[in-house]
Amino acid sequence: MRVLLAFCVLICSSLILCEHLEADQDILIPEDWTRVGRIDPTEKLELTFALRQQNVDQLEHLLLLVSDPKSAQYGKHLTLQEVAALVRPSQLTQKVVRHWLQSHGVTDCQTILTQDFLQCTMNTQVAEALLPGIEFHRYVRDGISLVRSSSAYHVHEDVLQHLDFVGGVHRFPPKGQDLNEVLTKRRRSGAKFHLGNTPATLRSRYNLTAADVGSAQNNSQAVAQFLEQFYHPADLAEFMTLFGRSFQHLSKIDRVVGVQGAGKAGLEASLDVEYIMSTGANIPTWVFTNPGRHETQEPFLQWMLLLSNMTDIPWVHTISYGDDEDSLSSAYMMRINTEFMKAGVRGISILFASGDSGAGCRHLTKGENSFRPSFPASSPYVTTVGGTSFKNPFKVTYEVTDYISGGGFSNVFKMPDYQVGAVEGYLKAVPGLPPKTYFNTSGRAYPDIAALSDNYWVVTDRVPIPWVSGTSASTPVVGGILSLINDQRFLKGLPSLGFLNPRLYQLQGQGLFDVTDGCHLSCLDEQVQGQGFCAAPSWDPVTGWGTPNYPALLAALVLEK
């Protein structure tokens, strides 16, 4: 599934904060959104102001120390209060931004514990005076209504240096991929089907026994839902009745943060909840759900703000959404990365799906193409999950790549030190790589790990549905397994896994089933002919280090110091 993320902040010569483009020009409106009219000047809007933070370099340094088992500070995670003290905007920044807002009559503002975001309510006339150049209109798509501006705006130089971006002005969420579209593609490609993946299949493949369920008192896990995606409690209960009889489990969500929508359940939401709770069985699970309380809200951003405003939150979060890197600004993504670092340094593990478009394809000028990386999958500060399929679709056997599994190299973020050896080994050892004009050999490479991603059974609206596929499926499975490992760590008095990647790359595949067969899709052109990268021994940009072998991975991650 793909969605969200796309406000940007770009500083141009004319002192522009532009949420989506790199120039002082109109914003391109996606074709599937229809403009229905200008917003009344008295209508209320809610905008989010991201204040410039302090000590971001120090935050990154601390994150790597607490995430590296070779460090004396490993596992010594910070509290939210300590994170806030580290990154809280300077008094000057807070004063300048608040004075700017108040000078325009904007006084209805809420902040969060870290004080690096302000959410302010104002009428349209005030917002358009505050950000000269914008004009708010209402847009609709598939029954969803948004208020956005299609024009760029200006911010005075004195304020510009204190802001990272303003949310709720430009960004149009891309249409979420229908999981059934993946099934249609597989049918057209002649892909084979077996009876389908269920909790029993997954627990068998990844060597989880009936005894491998949660029991620690202080453990929890979470999924996050956006874009009108909601789970239904009756679906979860029915799913566990059908598929959870062989292991101890919970049949109810422990906590819903946000407002559940009415109507039919979402297939994406049902998939996430049912499989994190059947893999991470018997572990209390939260659902973060935010469709946006107002038409100007950005649901993904609301989730990020919640993480920075809650002292007690689950240890593992899985999210099955993303967007093309090139549709976002570097400034916006850098700030979101800082939010991921703030979570990781607290001991929270954040997992993102790698996407369902293989290496992707971006059509450039003069008939040239390049691969198209996805964000947040390409963030160096999250663990990204790719997808696999069974080699024999009728047996629980070894896995090969799922051709839709997202993977590749970031065009924005440099390759982090923790993965340099693994990635360079792949680039040197694998023959027949795609032309280097298609990807950035020095960028952050992903995914980091994988799991089965095709032919899942899901219960939604009380009906069992087969053949649901995508890395939206593999991500909660890996999340549930990491929650089980956290459970055992807590029982032994060890801290949570936190940001997993430094440790994962140090393991060099230990505790994982290496996937070495198959390639994923990419550009349909003469040079690459629809083929992206291929799997290989050790790490590769299709399945990462491979898929979990739970007993071995548990031993590797619990027997460490």
Side-chain angles (χ1 to χ4, degrees):
M1 293 285 292
R2 300 177 25 149
V3 46
L4 30 119
L5 318 184
F7 340 48
C8 89
V9 184
L10 298 168
I11 301 175
C12 305
S13 59
S14 57
L15 301 178
I16 291 173
L17 271 172
C18 169
E19 283 192 314
H20 200 74
L21 299 181
E22 297 188 5
D24 185 7
Q25 56 183 318
D26 287 347
I27 309 303
L28 295 177
I29 306 301
E31 293 181 356
D32 53 348
W33 287 95
T34 301
R35 190 165 78 180
V36 296
R38 189 86 157 82
I39 300 301
D40 187 280
T42 62
E43 185 164 337
K44 294 291 186 180
L45 306 178
E46 184 175 285
L47 302 181
T48 302
F49 299 86
L51 279 64
R52 190 69 50 86
Q53 299 154 313
Q54 298 188 98
N55 304 315
V56 174
D57 289 344
Q58 186 178 349
L59 174 67
E60 180 181 33
H61 180 66
L62 283 172
L63 172 66
L64 295 176
L65 287 178
V66 301
S67 306
D68 182 359
K70 296 179 180 179
S71 166
Q73 290 183 247
Y74 177 65
K76 296 179 180 179
H77 300 125
L78 275 61
T79 65
L80 178 57
Q81 288 75 16
E82 290 170 333
V83 173
L86 181 65
V87 304
R88 182 179 295 123
S90 68
Q91 291 186 353
L92 176 61
T93 289
Q94 295 185 59
K95 181 179 179 180
V96 167
V97 174
R98 286 186 177 275
H99 181 267
W100 170 60
L101 293 169
Q102 291 168 3
S103 69
H104 286 80
V106 179
T107 58
D108 185 5
C109 295
Q110 305 293 325
T111 189
I112 59 175
L113 196 149
T114 50
Q115 298 180 9
D116 44 7
F117 285 100
L118 284 174
Q119 288 187 294
C120 301
T121 300
M122 65 203 77
N123 65 37
T124 302
Q125 184 176 7
V126 169
E128 292 180 348
L130 182 71
L131 303 170
I134 61 172
E135 289 186 357
F136 283 103
H137 293 80
R138 178 166 284 106
Y139 297 82
V140 295
R141 181 191 70 187
D142 298 336
I144 299 174
S145 175
L146 291 179
V147 172
R148 295 291 186 268
S149 171
S150 62
S151 53
Y153 60 85
H154 303 257
V155 173
H156 192 275
E157 181 179 12
D158 292 342
V159 179
L160 187 64
Q161 60 185 310
H162 298 288
L163 280 178
D164 284 334
F165 65 82
V166 181
V169 177
H170 288 145
R171 223 275 314 169
F172 285 81
K175 192 170 186 177
Q177 181 183 6
D178 185 346
L179 290 175
N180 287 315
E181 290 179 6
V182 179
L183 172 59
T184 301
K185 290 178 182 178
R186 292 180 187 279
R187 284 174 171 162
R188 289 173 179 170
S189 68
K192 297 179 180 179
F193 296 103
H194 50 77
L195 294 179
N197 281 319
T198 66
T201 307
L202 296 165
R203 295 178 73 87
S204 173
R205 170 56 186 161
Y206 299 135
N207 291 323
L208 292 162
T209 70
D212 293 319
V213 298
S215 60
Q217 293 298 310
N218 57 336
N219 198 10
S220 57
Q221 58 191 0
V223 298
Q225 309 294 348
F226 314 105
L227 274 193
E228 307 301 324
Q229 280 286 326
F230 311 109
Y231 93 99
H232 199 291
D235 292 337
L236 175 59
E238 180 71 13
F239 179 85
M240 290 302 185
T241 298
L242 292 173
F243 301 115
R245 296 179 180 179
S246 63
F247 53 91
Q248 187 178 354
H249 61 268
L250 300 174
S251 295
K252 294 182 179 180
I253 289 293
D254 192 63
R255 181 176 177 185
V256 174
V257 181
V259 179
Q260 278 275 99
K264 291 184 177 180
L267 186 58
E268 169 70 52
S270 300
L271 172 69
D272 289 354
V273 167
E274 289 164 9
Y275 279 92
I276 196 171
M277 292 186 69
S278 56
T279 308
N282 212 46
I283 294 174
T285 302
W286 294 23
V287 171
F288 285 80
T289 177
N290 194 323
R293 290 180 289 108
H294 192 280
E295 291 171 302
T296 51
Q297 278 195 339
E298 293 282 357
F300 177 79
L301 188 58
Q302 298 305 308
W303 173 70
M304 297 297 306
L305 267 62
L306 283 171
L307 294 189
S308 288
N309 205 38
M310 299 177 71
T311 54
D312 297 311
I313 57 176
W315 297 108
V316 174
H317 295 249
T318 76
I319 305 95
S320 300
Y321 301 87
D323 206 353
D324 299 324
E325 262 191 0
D326 58 84
S327 73
L328 311 170
S329 80
S330 298
Y332 170 77
M333 291 186 283
M334 292 294 186
R335 174 57 186 261
I336 295 301
N337 276 344
T338 302
E339 300 308 305
F340 294 148
M341 286 191 278
K342 285 163 59 180
V345 80
R346 294 170 61 190
I348 299 165
S349 302
I350 297 183
L351 281 66
F352 273 90
S354 68
D356 299 338
S357 300
C361 187
R362 185 183 184 191
H363 303 293
L364 306 175
T365 58
K366 299 179 181 179
E368 297 178 348
N369 295 323
S370 70
F371 295 159
R372 197 171 203 175
S374 175
F375 180 84
S378 64
S379 169
Y381 308 106
V382 303
T383 299
T384 304
V385 184
T388 63
S389 302
F390 280 124
K391 174 66 173 178
N392 184 335
F394 301 102
K395 293 177 62 177
V396 177
T397 181
Y398 74 93
E399 295 160 74
V400 298
T401 62
D402 187 342
Y403 73 95
I404 66 170
S405 178
F409 295 76
S410 173
N411 290 321
V412 178
F413 312 113
K414 69 176 184 179
M415 191 180 300
D417 291 342
Y418 62 73
Q419 71 169 183
V420 168
V423 178
E424 288 185 347
Y426 174 85
L427 294 175
K428 291 177 181 178
V430 175
L433 288 171
K436 291 185 178 180
T437 56
Y438 279 73
F439 66 102
N440 175 23
T441 58
S442 61
R444 157 36 169 168
Y446 70 96
D448 306 299
I449 195 170
L452 287 160
S453 58
D454 71 335
N455 301 337
Y456 277 62
W457 279 92
V458 177
V459 173
T460 186
D461 296 316
R462 302 295 298 272
V463 178
I465 298 175
W467 298 339
V468 177
S469 300
T471 53
S472 300
S474 55
T475 305
V477 168
V478 173
I481 288 175
L482 295 182
S483 290
L484 288 177
I485 294 173
N486 267 342
D487 208 84
Q488 292 299 308
R489 290 178 62 85
F490 295 154
L491 292 174
K492 294 180 180 294
L494 297 171
S496 64
L497 289 169
F499 177 45
L500 181 63
N501 289 11
R503 180 55 174 152
L504 183 65
Y505 281 80
Q506 287 178 22
L507 290 177
Q508 297 185 355
Q510 182 183 352
L512 300 164
F513 294 115
D514 196 4
V515 180
T516 61
D517 186 6
C519 308
H520 64 182
L521 55 83
S522 71
C523 301
L524 284 170
D525 60 27
E526 185 176 353
Q527 280 197 284
V528 296
Q529 300 179 31
Q531 181 173 293
F533 299 100
C534 296
S538 297
W539 181 90
D540 61 69
V542 188
T543 62
W545 285 103
T547 62
N549 179 4
Y550 176 70
L553 188 60
L554 175 67
L557 293 176
V558 171
L559 294 180
E560 62 187 67
K561 70 173 185 178

